Amino acid sequence: MYWIALVLGALFTLVYVILKIRSNQISTSDAVFWFVLSFCMVLLAVVPQIAFFFSDALGFLSAANFIFLCILAVLVYHQLSMSVKVARLQSKLNHLTQTIALSQVRNDRSEEEQGRSAVATDDGGRG
């Protein structure tokens, strides 16, 4: 019965990823990960002997337990890699924000100095 759940879950994932790709809400590299995961779930549902072989070899009581553990492990790894990616992007964003802020401060100071020198030049010519 869990084979039906695997196929339905894989199909739902595929449809969801396709919709997100069409609306540009997911990157291509992330879409590839979800396509591969969905393909693996369909493969395990269509050829359950793979799951039975590995679950017996590793000592699992049920092939379903093996499949769910594998999916959980893959998703935890993916979540960890996404956390690292987000941390890198956040660091880059902070650096970029600081660089832009410093650039704006320099531009403002430069404009103020140009304004002062223009005023000083105007006053010097009259006197």
Side-chain angles (χ1 to χ4, degrees):
M1 189 67 183
Y2 60 90
W3 306 112
I4 295 171
L6 276 176
V7 172
L8 290 177
L11 292 176
F12 174 76
T13 302
L14 284 174
V15 169
Y16 186 74
V17 168
I18 289 170
L19 292 174
K20 291 298 180 181
I21 289 172
R22 285 187 179 172
S23 62
N24 289 328
Q25 294 181 349
I26 190 171
S27 69
T28 306
S29 61
D30 290 335
V32 168
F33 167 79
W34 291 109
F35 281 135
V36 169
L37 184 65
S38 297
F39 174 75
C40 290
M41 289 187 341
V42 169
L43 180 68
L44 287 173
V46 172
V47 187
Q49 292 81 11
I50 297 170
F52 286 119
F53 172 77
F54 283 110
S55 65
D56 288 341
L58 296 173
F60 285 87
L61 296 176
S62 168
N65 291 343
F66 169 73
I67 290 171
F68 293 136
L69 179 67
C70 288
I71 290 173
L72 180 67
V74 168
L75 292 177
V76 165
Y77 174 77
H78 187 261
Q79 179 63 37
L80 178 62
S81 64
M82 288 291 109
S83 294
V84 170
K85 188 176 181 179
V86 167
R88 285 185 194 152
L89 289 173
Q90 196 170 23
S91 175
K92 286 181 181 181
L93 179 63
N94 288 341
H95 178 65
L96 182 61
T97 303
Q98 292 169 354
T99 303
I100 291 171
L102 288 173
S103 176
Q104 287 177 345
V105 167
R106 288 180 189 138
N107 287 340
D108 291 346
R109 286 182 183 171
S110 175
E111 289 174 3
E112 287 176 9
E113 289 174 2
Q114 288 176 356
R116 288 180 191 157
S117 65
V119 170
T121 305
D122 289 342
D123 291 340
R126 292 182 187 168

